[in-house]
Amino acid sequence: MKKILLPVLVPSLIMTGFAEAATVYSNKEGTKLDLYGRVEAKIGNEWTTEHNSAANLTGRLGVDAQQKIDDTFTVLGKMEWQVNTQKNDTESSDDTWKIRYAYAGVEANKYGKAMIGRTRNPMYQWMSITDRYMNFTSNVYSNWVGTRIDSSYQWNRQDGTIQYEYLGHNVDLRAAYLMGNGAGDSTVDNGYMGSLGYTIKTTLFDKALTIKPVIAWQKLTKDPKNTTLSGNYTDYIQEGVGVRVSYDKAYLGVNVGKQKYERLNASDRKYDALDTLAEYWFTKQVALRGGYSQLIEKENDDYAHRKQWLIEAEYKLKKDIHLSTTYIRDERDDYESPENLWVLGVRYDF
C-alpha cells in the first residue's frame, strides 16, 4: 500500500469551500477592507508512514480590499495565505505561510472585471461543479496518481495571470493569459484559458430548478529543456464539459474531461476524466453527499488509472461551524491494493 505523509495530505484536503468575510474598515470615500479565514482540524487513519492514525491543524487567512473610484469603476486587491502547523515539530520552509491568491484588478459595472497576479483561474468554473466536499478535493484533473488528491498550493493558481471575468444576463465568462513569473523553474512559460457557463432558472412542481452547463479549455506551454521539471512535455491541453443541477434540497454535478501531454521525443500521453457528485440537505444543518470519479490513461489503462468512491456527512453546528466525516476508497492498479481513508473534520470559517 502506498504511504502518504500527513503534512502533505492535510493541506490538500482543505482546498474546498469559501470563508465569509467581515468588514474591518470602511469609509465614505469608498474604501473597504474585509478580513476572512478558516481554522480546521482533521483526524484520519493511516496518515503517517507507519500507517497510524493522526491529527493536524491548519487554516487560511485572507484580506480583500477595494477602493471605489466613481460610480462605474472600483479598484480591487486580494491576498490569501495557507497556514500550516509545523511538520513533525521541526522547522521547515514547507510549514509556514503559503500564498494562495495575490492579485490586483479593476471592476466596472456591467462590464466585468480584469485582474493580474495569482488568481483563481477560469478552469475552476468547471472544476467547482464537483468541488463541494468538506474533507476532499478530487484530483482527476491532474494525471499524477501519487496522492489521493492534488497537494499543490497552486492548484488552479498561477503567477503572472492576466484574467477577465464577466457575470451578467445568466452568462459566466472567464478568460486568462498566463505569462509566468520569470522564475527559472516556472512550470508554465505561457498559456491560455477560458470557460463559459450559462445559468437556466425555472420551476418544477412549484420548486426552484437551476441548471448551469459549463465548458472549459486551457493550453499551457513550457520549455522541455528545463530539466528541473519532470515529464519532458512541451504543451499541456485540457478540455472539459460539465453541468450542475440544483432542485429544492438536492444537487447533482457531473464533469467529463480530456487531458493531453505533448512530449519531446516521445509519444503524447492522453487521459480521460470523470467526476460526479450528488448531495441532499435533509435539514438546514444536515447533508449527505457522495460520488464517483476516475482518471484513466487511454493507451495504458493497467498502469495510470485512478478510481475513487466518496461518501460524506456534514452537520452545521452553527452557520460557520462544520462537523463532517468522510470515507474515501481508492482503487489503483499501479499499487498493491486499494486504499481506504476515514476523515473526521471540524471547520470554523470567519
Side-chain angles (χ1 to χ4, degrees):
M1 181 178 291
K2 180 157 172 33
K3 298 178 180 179
I4 301 176
L5 291 175
L6 172 64
V8 175
L9 177 62
V10 171
S12 308
L13 285 168
I14 65 171
M15 297 180 68
T16 305
F18 304 89
E20 294 190 10
T23 300
V24 295
Y25 175 79
S26 64
N27 61 27
K28 296 180 179 179
E29 285 71 36
T31 301
K32 184 180 178 183
L33 185 66
D34 293 338
L35 181 68
Y36 66 93
R38 172 186 302 175
V39 178
E40 189 165 24
K42 303 285 184 184
I43 300 175
N45 68 306
E46 297 190 1
W47 273 8
T48 69
T49 55
E50 294 79 20
H51 294 261
N52 296 325
S53 297
N56 204 356
L57 177 71
T58 187
R60 296 176 186 169
L61 184 65
V63 178
D64 278 319
Q66 65 178 48
Q67 171 65 62
K68 189 175 181 180
I69 303 301
D70 52 33
D71 291 337
T72 301
F73 294 99
T74 301
V75 175
L76 307 172
K78 184 181 183 74
M79 292 286 291
E80 181 177 310
W81 295 267
Q82 180 89 19
V83 187
N84 299 324
T85 54
Q86 290 185 348
K87 177 180 179 181
N88 299 326
D89 295 326
T90 60
E91 294 290 343
S92 170
S93 60
D94 294 331
D95 307 311
T96 54
W97 293 51
K98 299 286 187 176
I99 295 180
R100 299 183 76 242
Y101 299 112
Y103 63 81
V106 59
E107 184 173 13
N109 294 342
K110 301 180 181 179
Y111 300 103
K113 61 182 178 180
M115 301 163 286
I116 183 168
R118 183 181 295 185
T119 67
R120 170 169 281 172
N121 68 40
M123 298 299 291
Y124 189 72
Q125 180 180 190
W126 167 56
M127 298 175 185
S128 67
I129 292 176
T130 54
D131 189 14
R132 295 170 68 93
Y133 293 102
M134 299 296 295
N135 302 316
F136 175 82
T137 299
S138 176
N139 65 339
V140 298
Y141 304 103
S142 171
N143 77 315
W144 178 245
V145 296
T147 62
R148 293 182 175 91
I149 63 172
D150 190 335
S151 60
S152 170
Y153 292 102
Q154 296 188 29
W155 185 66
N156 289 310
R157 305 168 190 93
Q158 291 86 17
D159 289 330
T161 299
I162 301 175
Q163 186 162 323
Y164 170 76
E165 297 181 357
Y166 170 80
L167 183 61
H169 302 92
N170 298 328
V171 174
D172 189 340
L173 173 65
R174 310 179 194 185
Y177 170 65
L178 275 62
M179 301 176 63
N181 63 0
D185 59 350
S186 178
T187 303
V188 177
D189 288 341
N190 58 73
Y192 301 88
M193 297 180 178
S195 64
L196 176 64
Y198 186 80
T199 302
I200 303 168
K201 295 184 178 180
T202 185
T203 58
L204 180 63
F205 302 116
D206 297 325
K207 297 185 183 297
L209 173 64
T210 302
I211 303 173
K212 183 182 180 181
V214 175
I215 58 173
W217 173 88
Q218 71 171 329
K219 181 176 181 179
L220 308 177
T221 301
K222 80 171 185 67
D223 184 359
K225 296 179 181 179
N226 187 344
T227 57
T228 63
L229 302 173
S230 62
N232 294 322
Y233 69 89
T234 57
D235 291 336
Y236 170 69
I237 301 171
Q238 186 175 34
E239 302 168 335
V241 60
V243 61
R244 62 172 74 217
V245 180
S246 298
Y247 179 67
D248 193 24
K249 301 177 182 179
Y251 176 92
L252 176 66
V254 179
N255 278 345
V256 293
K258 294 181 180 294
Q259 302 172 42
K260 181 171 74 171
Y261 289 80
E262 297 179 356
R263 298 192 295 170
L264 183 66
N265 300 322
S267 60
D268 296 343
R269 301 192 70 174
K270 300 177 182 179
Y271 301 83
D272 289 328
L274 170 68
D275 198 11
T276 65
L277 179 143
E279 178 182 277
Y280 187 81
W281 285 88
F282 296 91
T283 69
K284 293 181 179 181
Q285 291 78 35
V286 179
L288 184 67
R289 61 183 64 94
Y292 170 78
S293 61
Q294 69 175 33
L295 180 70
I296 298 177
E297 187 173 6
K298 288 185 177 181
E299 279 83 33
N300 199 358
D301 179 60
D302 290 336
Y303 176 74
H305 99 216
R306 178 198 298 115
K307 298 179 180 179
Q308 296 169 320
W309 290 262
L310 271 292
I311 186 168
E312 179 178 272
E314 176 187 351
Y315 176 72
K316 285 187 178 182
L317 186 62
K318 294 288 185 179
K319 180 181 179 182
D320 299 322
I321 301 177
H322 310 264
L323 307 177
S324 57
T325 179
T326 310
Y327 173 69
I328 306 169
R329 175 180 172 86
D330 283 354
E331 180 182 302
R332 297 177 287 183
D333 284 350
D334 52 329
Y335 292 106
E336 296 177 359
S337 62
E339 296 188 283
N340 301 277
L341 175 66
W342 280 98
V343 181
L344 299 177
V346 56
R347 187 170 86 190
Y348 169 52
D349 294 323
F350 61 89

